[in-house]
Amino acid sequence: MSDNTKQWKYLDNASTTRINVEVFNEMIPYFNEYYFNASSNHKGGGLVKSVIENARCLCANLINATSENIIFTSGSTESINYVLKGYLEENFAVGNHIITCKTEHKAVLETCEYLETKGIEISYLDVKSDGLIDLFDLESAIKPETALIVIMFANNETGVVQDIKGIGEIAQKYNVKFFCDATQAIGKVHIDVNSLGIDMLCMSAHKIGGPKGIGFLYVKNGIKLTPLLHGGSQENNNRAGTYNTPLIVGLGKACEIASNSLLENQIFYKTLFDKVIESVNKIDNTRLIGATENRVYNILNIKIEGLDASIFVEASDDFAVSNGSACTSRIIEGSHVLKAMGLSDKECNECLRISFDTSNSIVEIDDFFKKILNA
Ligand SMILES: *Cc1c(COP(=O)(O)O)cnc(C)c1O
């Protein structure tokens, strides 16, 4: 592997983060020392089972839930597949209609497209140019057959945060379940599933300094899902398969750190955000995409007129950033998120996403904008 990434300034934390050293160290003994199967009845099994249950509590605490409502999965993609397929299958009598929105992650949109081939009806809500859905549109889309509302917390391409409490209230009013993909909001926003009216919520550890391939799904009491994976009785029969102790330990630790450092991190990200806005305001024909206030402050999408973002991203050997557009057979297909906000394919390719974690600095932002000015 050619490796010039050591000197990189990494501004692509919305795609994944470096594992936190504390998290990494906490995981190590569970690979080689305490490698036991948590379902074994011997002392070793009991030991790792208690460690796993402790991690489950740490996950629950982060969203003010109780640990019996936390299911470990391989991450948000799996959780999303599980909820959408599992809820509709288990609750077919309730209805066969899902309401979601055009700016959801592909894990939601592709699963919905699959479900459409199975006879499920999907309504895809539009967003306004600021990236927010209109709650009136949501309420109007509800029908007697509506089983599920699927709206993300913070958007992974723009950082825009939906009115989650407002959505939760509408869901409750019509007795429809509300599933929220909170992958980019966890650790950035205070989340209380009870006060927000969230019935199901998912996250991935690797977006908050944890390991890849693990996350949790919160499912409120009384909701049943048909499992994706059948087999052993792990996770209360919700997800079969031997407990992945090291990853679960890492997830728990990452959640604990996210809880403890939330306020401090929020202040830090706002400082970086303000610095970016200051720089953006100094460059002509450059602007922030999406709402300025309803957002997380660690993800920014900026439009720089005349920039070829796909070339910039691929050619850059000192900065890791993202342009969020997929290049198929050399035709640049603009991001579905930005297009839903009203941008043309050409305009989408003038947009760059930068996303921070706590290791980034003001100096890196200065350097980044110097580079932009020379691009
Ligand atoms: C990263 C991400 C996902 C997918 O998470 P995986 O860990 O890749 O399964 C889903 N939704 C959002 C908003 C994300 O940012």
Side-chain angles (χ1 to χ4, degrees):
M1 187 170 81
S2 88
D3 187 9
N4 52 6
T5 63
K6 294 244 163 61
Q7 292 88 42
W8 263 21
K9 298 179 186 74
Y10 187 77
L11 302 177
D12 193 26
N13 289 283
S15 73
T16 196
T17 59
R18 182 197 296 271
I19 196 163
N20 180 301
V21 179
E22 269 182 81
V23 172
F24 186 56
N25 289 337
E26 189 118 339
M27 289 167 63
I28 292 169
Y30 299 94
F31 285 106
N32 52 11
E33 204 172 335
Y34 307 113
Y35 53 86
F36 316 112
N37 187 324
S39 305
S40 298
N41 288 329
H42 52 63
K43 290 246 163 24
L47 188 147
V48 292
K49 185 75 172 108
S50 73
V51 168
I52 287 169
E53 292 315 312
N54 180 52
R56 203 187 299 277
C57 288
L58 296 171
C59 294
N61 289 344
L62 183 57
I63 55 168
N64 194 29
T66 43
S67 60
E68 62 181 27
N69 300 108
I70 300 293
I71 300 165
F72 296 124
T73 69
S74 66
S76 291
T77 301
E78 180 185 326
S79 297
I80 290 165
N81 273 264
Y82 183 26
V83 170
L84 270 58
K85 295 172 187 171
Y87 189 79
L88 270 286
E89 185 174 345
E90 188 72 31
N91 302 282
F92 206 75
V94 175
N96 64 346
H97 175 232
I98 295 176
I99 301 171
T100 185
C101 126
K102 289 183 178 166
T103 54
E104 290 294 304
H105 191 273
K106 286 283 177 185
V108 167
L109 297 177
E110 294 291 318
T111 305
C112 284
E113 243 177 70
Y114 164 78
L115 287 172
E116 280 180 301
T117 69
K118 302 289 168 194
I120 306 295
E121 193 198 337
I122 318 275
S123 299
Y124 300 92
L125 300 178
D126 289 320
V127 296
K128 297 173 283 181
S129 62
D130 61 4
L132 292 164
I133 62 165
D134 188 328
L135 292 190
F136 182 77
D137 290 348
L138 171 63
E139 197 159 354
S140 313
I142 295 178
K143 311 194 276 190
E145 311 81 73
T146 307
L148 205 54
I149 294 170
V150 182
I151 304 283
M152 74 200 321
F153 210 119
N155 187 276
N156 50 299
E157 291 191 33
T158 60
V160 169
V161 168
Q162 298 292 345
D163 178 359
I164 298 301
K165 196 165 198 289
I167 297 167
E169 279 164 9
I170 291 172
Q172 256 159 16
K173 178 172 162 193
Y174 292 91
N175 198 20
V176 174
K177 300 296 176 213
F178 172 28
F179 169 47
C180 183
D181 171 1
T183 315
Q184 297 290 357
I186 286 279
K188 315 299 181 302
V189 182
H190 173 70
I191 299 178
D192 177 333
V193 284
N194 300 310
S195 69
L196 293 171
I198 296 172
D199 296 300
M200 291 173 272
L201 173 147
C202 70
M203 64 78 76
S204 274
H206 74 101
K207 303 283 173 82
I208 59 163
K212 295 172 185 46
I214 187 87
F216 72 74
L217 172 65
Y218 160 80
V219 180
K220 197 174 176 173
N221 282 343
I223 299 177
K224 255 190 80 62
L225 307 170
T226 305
L228 286 181
L229 305 179
H230 297 89
S233 61
Q234 291 93 350
E235 296 300 297
N236 234 341
N237 291 308
N238 278 295
R239 187 187 191 263
T242 302
Y243 286 100
N244 194 331
T245 317
L247 293 194
I248 292 170
V249 167
L251 166 67
K253 187 69 188 174
C255 287
E256 184 182 30
I257 294 171
S259 286
N260 294 339
S261 49
L262 178 67
L263 290 179
E264 185 190 329
N265 290 351
Q266 281 178 325
I267 293 167
F268 178 70
Y269 290 136
K270 183 66 167 57
T271 315
L272 297 186
F273 176 84
D274 288 344
K275 179 71 196 171
V276 175
I277 297 302
E278 188 193 310
S279 309
V280 162
N281 288 341
K282 282 188 203 148
I283 308 175
D284 287 344
N285 301 320
T286 298
R287 65 178 174 96
L288 178 77
I289 297 290
T292 45
E293 266 154 35
N294 294 32
R295 61 162 43 257
V296 291
Y297 290 106
N298 68 312
I299 303 177
L300 299 96
N301 203 308
I302 48 180
K303 183 172 171 301
I304 304 151
E305 212 172 286
L307 182 84
D308 187 329
S310 58
I311 290 181
F312 181 90
V313 169
E314 282 172 40
S316 174
D317 43 24
D318 49 355
F319 282 96
V321 291
S322 163
N323 60 333
S325 24
C327 242
T328 335
S329 58
R330 307 173 81 211
I331 299 162
I332 294 161
E333 169 78 31
S335 136
H336 70 281
V337 174
L338 301 181
K339 284 212 276 198
M341 292 165 76
L343 276 71
S344 66
D345 280 331
K346 181 182 168 290
E347 289 174 315
C348 289
N349 195 40
E350 295 175 329
C351 293
L352 284 177
R353 177 187 71 182
I354 55 180
S355 49
F356 309 126
D357 83 348
T358 52
S359 67
N360 291 118
S361 68
I362 295 273
V363 176
E364 286 174 324
I365 294 171
D366 271 336
D367 291 347
F368 176 73
F369 279 96
K370 276 183 205 141
K371 186 175 167 101
I372 288 288
L373 282 173
N374 293 324

